[in-house]
Structure formats: structure tokens, C-alpha cells
């Protein structure tokens, strides 16, 4: 011991029955097959060893103090080991499997190492029966180096919480819950048309910034006509002719004809309603199935009904069953229950009276 060997050769000559060898403090970086397999005690403390890979079947005591080992030696190479000192190395932890692989181990000195007090390591230390009798210097010389929250604490006294021990599981659980929450929001939003309501609310808030009502000089139309595309034949070929060719003629605002090209359709709807003296709804089964008709109805409600002005005219083009009106049309239900509406008569004799009543409503 205490020589400056630096390195040892691969082949050496030793007495045949050599049992004890002390190579401590000899600055050797690696052990070679020069070490005889007959040894029962080997001391290689205070060297520059980074691993121990010798097969010594008869070895009973091994001293590896003050080296650079990061793990315990392989038990299969030293099956009869009874005592081992691996203190003051770079050992971070050792597992239950590694510990129990030394079948004959009675004393293990792993003190003064920088232990990483992971959940697995702590669980093994706390639950391994008899480990306190095997570990030399337990518990005062076994100190946690990390995590930071327990640095400097004795390994035996540290208890990590369930959250600290199962961070990956916790993250997975949180991600799963967030995904399920978003999925539920999407499903519920789709079922109850939340996206439509958000779009509606945003457009309404934008409209709220504008004046409550366009000045009289800005009124360009007698009526804005809201109708379903499926009813366009009646609107464009019958109603428009009756009203725009009347004497005096009425000027109607139709989305097909009068909306500004390239302008957002919602802005077109808002501007057209604001620039019209009346808003005329042509109600039918098709109307209550149209998304844009819903927009137009709600815009009229927000911008015009709130002013308590009689600016809405309802034309019932065909009978509508109450159960056929979607829940989103609660305003339509309310309007139909509180306002008089014009019904389009199938009898030609009654149609003339219908047009007279409609013209009178538009002039009011």
C-alpha cells in the first residue's frame, strides 16, 4: 500500500495461496487480471478506480473506500462476499435487487456518498427488513444530496409525498383530465351551439359600439328582409314585385342584391338592419333551420327590440309547429306570442288584403 504504482500489469506472479492483498493508496486507475483469484481480502481504497470488474470467487472482504465508483460491484463476480466498504465514492443509490444479490453480505459501508433520494431508493430503504443491521454508520452517515428540498437530511428520515413520487403519473393524469375536459366542452358546445352563441355575442358587442339607431338621413331602406334561401322564390318573385312596384314603391334590402361584396356577412347584416326603417321576417319551417336567419333575428332583437320600437314585421309564410322551433329561437317564440303577425293566405281573394296590411305595416 501507499506506493505510486500508477498502473499494474495484466499478468503478475503471486504466491499460490495468497489470501490478503493491500493495494490502497497506490494511485491505480484500473484493476487487471494481475489480481489473484485466490484472494479472500482485497483492499484497494484511496485509488482512482471507476469500476470493479474482477472475478474473485473466494473474496470475503472488499475495501473500495475513496474511489470514484458510481454503482456497487457485480455480485456474481464476488459471490461469497461478506463485508464491503464503498464509502466516499460517487454512489448515488443502490436498488433492492443489487443489495439482495449479495447473498452472504453481513456488513456494507456505503456511508458518505451523495445519495439521490428518489422514491424508489427511499421505498427500498424504508421497507427492507434488517437493512439497518447491515449498513455501517446507519443512519447518521447516509445523507441525501438531492432533491434540493431534502438536501442534508438523513436518508432514513426522508418521506416524499405521493405527488413528488409520481410526478409523471400526475402529469399524465392532469393531461388526461384536461383532454377530457376540453372534449366535454367541445361536445357540449356542439350540442348546445356554444360556438354560435360566442360568435353571436362577439358580433353583438361590436354592434353595441355603434350608435343605437342610424340617423333618419342614413335610413336607406323601408325594410330589411330576412328569409331562408328555400323561400327565395316567394320573396324575390312575389313579395318584391308587389312592394317595389307599388305606388309609391317600397325599397327592400335583400342580402343577395344589396349586401356589400367583400364585407363580412355579419357586418353586412348589422349595417342593413340599422339602415332599414323596418325588419321583415319571412317565417317558415326553412327559416328556423337557417343559421343566418338566426343571426338576423338576434341582431334585430339586440339592436332594435331593446329600443322598444315597433320595427319588426312577421310574415308567417306557412304554419310552423311549436316543436319545430329550435331552443335557440326562444326570442322568436316570445315575439310570436306577443306580436301580431301576418299569415300568407293560400286563397287568392285574401291575398289582396294581405298586401294591403303589409304595406300599412311598412308605412307605420
Amino acid at each position: 500500500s501507499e506506493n505510486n504504482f500508477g498502473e499494474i500489469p495484466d499478468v503478475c506472479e503471486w504466491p499460490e495461496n495468497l489470501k490478503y492483498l493491500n493495494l490502497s493508496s497506490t494511485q491505480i486507475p484500473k484493476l487487471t487480471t494481475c489480481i489473484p483469484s485466490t484472494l479472500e481480502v482485497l483492499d484497494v481504497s484511496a485509488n482512482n478506480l471507476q469500476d470493479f470488474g474482477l472475478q474473485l470467487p473466494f473474496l470475503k472482504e472488499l475495501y473500495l473506500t475513496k474511489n470514484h465508483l458510481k454503482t456497487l460491484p457485480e455480485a456474481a463476480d464476488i459471490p461469497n462476499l461478506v463485508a464491503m466498504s464503498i464509502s466516499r465514492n460517487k454512489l448515488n443509490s443502490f436498488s433492492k435487487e443489487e443489495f439482495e444479490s449479495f447473498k452472504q453480505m453481513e456488513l456494507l459501508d456505503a456511508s458518505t456518498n451523495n445519495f439521490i433520494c428518489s422514491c424508489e431508493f427511499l421505498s427500498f430503504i424504508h421497507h427492507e427488513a434488517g437493512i439497518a443491521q447491515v449498513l455501517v454508520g446507519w443512519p447518521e452517515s447516509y445523507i441525501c444530496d438531492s432533491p434540493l428540498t431534502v438536501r442534508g437530511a438523513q436518508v432514513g428520515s426522508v418521506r416524499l409525498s405521493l405527488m413528488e413520487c409520481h410526478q409523471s403519473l400526475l402529469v399524465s393524469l392532469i393531461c388526461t383530465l384536461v383532454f377530457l375536459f376540453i372534449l366535454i366542452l367541445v361536445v357540449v358546445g356542439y350540442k348546445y351551439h356554444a360556438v354560435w352563441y360566442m360568435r353571436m355575442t362577439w358580433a353583438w358587442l361590436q354592434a353595441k359600439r355603434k350608435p343605437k339607431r342610424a340617423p333618419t338621413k342614413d335610413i336607406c331602406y323601408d325594410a330589411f328582409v330576412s328569409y331562408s334561401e328555400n323561400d327565395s322564390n316567394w320573396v324575390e318573385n312575389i313579395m318584391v314585385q308587389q312592394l317595389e312596384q307599388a305606388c309609391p314603391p317600397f325599397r327592400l334590402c335583400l342580402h343577395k342584391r344589396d349586401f356589400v361584396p367583400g364585407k363580412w356577412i355579419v357586418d353586412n347584416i348589422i349595417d342593413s338592419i340599422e339602415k332599414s326603417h323596418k325588419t321583415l321576417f319571412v317565417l317558415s319551417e326553412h327559416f328556423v333551420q337557417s343559421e343566418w336567419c338566426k343571426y338576423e333575428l338576434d341582431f334585430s332583437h339586440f339592436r332594435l327590440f331593446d329600443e322598444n320600437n315597433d320595427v319588426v314585421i312577421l310574415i308567417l309564410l306557412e304554419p310552423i309547429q311549436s316543436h319545430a322551433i329550435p331552443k335557440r329561437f326562444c326570442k322568436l317564440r316570445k315575439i310570436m306570442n306577443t306580436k301580431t303577425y301576418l299569415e300568407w293566405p293560400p286563397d287568392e281573394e285574401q291575398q289582396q288584403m294581405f298586401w294591403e296590411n303589409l304595406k300599412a305595416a311598412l308605412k307605420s
Side-chain angles (χ1 to χ4, degrees):
S1 64
E2 298 186 7
N3 284 288
N4 190 15
F5 290 158
E7 293 184 359
I8 56 176
D10 293 334
V11 180
C12 304
E13 292 186 4
W14 303 98
E16 292 183 2
N17 297 319
L18 185 64
K19 303 294 183 182
Y20 176 85
L21 180 61
N22 185 353
L23 293 174
S24 60
S25 302
T26 53
Q27 300 185 18
I28 54 177
K30 181 180 179 182
L31 296 176
T32 68
T33 53
C34 169
I35 306 299
S37 60
T38 58
L39 292 179
E40 293 184 3
V41 179
L42 174 62
D43 187 351
V44 285
S45 302
N47 283 292
N48 299 316
L49 301 178
Q50 295 186 3
D51 57 50
F52 183 90
L54 296 180
Q55 293 185 351
L56 302 174
F58 305 106
L59 194 66
K60 294 182 179 180
E61 297 180 23
L62 176 60
Y63 299 94
L64 295 166
T65 302
K66 295 179 67 175
N67 279 284
H68 307 292
L69 278 75
K70 296 181 180 180
T71 60
L72 295 179
E74 289 289 336
D77 295 335
I78 42 180
N80 293 302
L81 197 66
V82 175
M84 175 167 59
S85 175
I86 192 171
S87 63
R88 299 188 182 184
N89 277 266
K90 294 183 178 181
L91 190 66
N92 296 135
S93 66
F94 49 90
S95 66
K96 176 182 177 70
E97 291 73 19
E98 289 176 311
F99 180 76
E100 292 183 347
S101 64
F102 292 93
K103 305 297 183 183
Q104 310 298 325
M105 183 76 73
E106 295 179 4
L107 294 175
L108 172 62
D109 185 357
S111 61
T112 322
N113 279 288
N114 296 325
F115 288 104
I116 297 176
C117 291
S118 64
C119 296
E120 294 78 12
F121 180 58
L122 293 176
S123 177
F124 154 61
I125 291 294
H126 294 153
H127 296 95
E128 183 68 19
I131 195 170
Q133 286 72 42
V134 176
L135 292 179
V136 177
W138 179 266
E140 61 276 0
S141 298
Y142 293 79
I143 306 298
C144 292
D145 183 63
S146 66
L148 289 175
T149 53
V150 296
R151 175 175 287 180
Q154 292 182 6
V155 174
S157 64
V158 173
R159 297 289 188 278
L160 296 181
S161 66
L162 184 64
M163 184 178 297
E164 291 173 303
C165 285
H166 301 282
Q167 288 185 353
S168 59
L169 180 61
L170 186 64
V171 170
S172 300
L173 181 61
I174 291 175
C175 291
T176 302
L177 291 176
V178 169
F179 173 76
L180 289 176
F181 179 72
I182 293 174
L183 183 62
I184 291 172
L185 283 182
V186 171
V187 172
V188 172
Y190 177 79
K191 181 177 180 180
Y192 294 99
H193 311 286
V195 175
W196 183 85
Y197 280 116
M198 286 189 290
R199 292 168 61 191
M200 178 68 243
T201 303
W202 172 251
W204 175 69
L205 290 173
Q206 293 293 103
K208 274 290 191 181
R209 298 179 182 178
K210 299 180 180 180
K212 283 285 184 179
R213 195 75 171 92
T216 305
K217 63 179 181 179
D218 292 336
I219 299 297
C220 304
Y221 305 99
D222 292 296
F224 169 74
V225 184
S226 175
Y227 62 98
S228 167
E229 187 64 29
N230 292 294
D231 300 321
S232 59
N233 182 60
W234 185 87
V235 171
E236 296 166 8
N237 298 326
I238 298 178
M239 187 184 73
V240 170
Q241 289 187 10
Q242 285 287 336
L243 297 180
E244 291 192 343
Q245 294 180 12
C247 186
F250 294 92
R251 187 175 181 188
L252 304 179
C253 179
L254 306 179
H255 67 268
K256 281 186 178 180
R257 183 183 65 187
D258 301 306
F259 276 8
V260 178
K263 192 174 184 179
W264 187 32
I265 189 169
V266 172
D267 285 337
N268 264 317
I269 292 172
I270 295 175
D271 291 342
S272 297
I273 290 176
E274 290 179 339
K275 292 180 180 180
S276 300
H277 181 60
K278 301 281 186 179
T279 304
L280 198 158
F281 292 98
V282 180
L283 306 179
S284 67
E285 295 282 354
H286 300 301
F287 182 94
V288 296
Q289 300 301 324
S290 169
E291 181 176 351
W292 289 114
C293 288
K294 298 179 185 72
Y295 271 109
E296 292 161 357
L297 181 70
D298 276 346
F299 286 139
S300 294
H301 182 273
F302 284 130
R303 295 290 294 166
L304 304 175
F305 295 174
D306 290 345
E307 297 176 6
N308 297 318
N309 293 325
D310 190 17
V311 294
V312 173
I313 301 173
L314 303 180
I315 296 176
L316 192 60
L317 193 60
E318 61 184 12
I320 302 177
Q321 301 296 326
S322 59
H323 63 77
I325 302 178
K327 293 180 179 179
R328 283 176 289 171
F329 272 89
C330 57
K331 296 182 182 68
L332 178 59
R333 294 170 185 265
K334 180 179 179 181
I335 296 168
M336 293 184 70
N337 290 331
T338 57
K339 286 185 65 69
T340 303
Y341 51 84
L342 300 173
E343 294 188 56
W344 171 248
D347 186 1
E348 292 186 8
E349 295 181 0
Q350 298 178 353
Q351 290 177 7
Q352 185 61 35
M353 180 61 69
F354 169 86
W355 294 121
E356 294 299 326
N357 290 335
L358 178 56
K359 292 174 184 177
L362 288 172
K363 291 178 181 178
S364 64

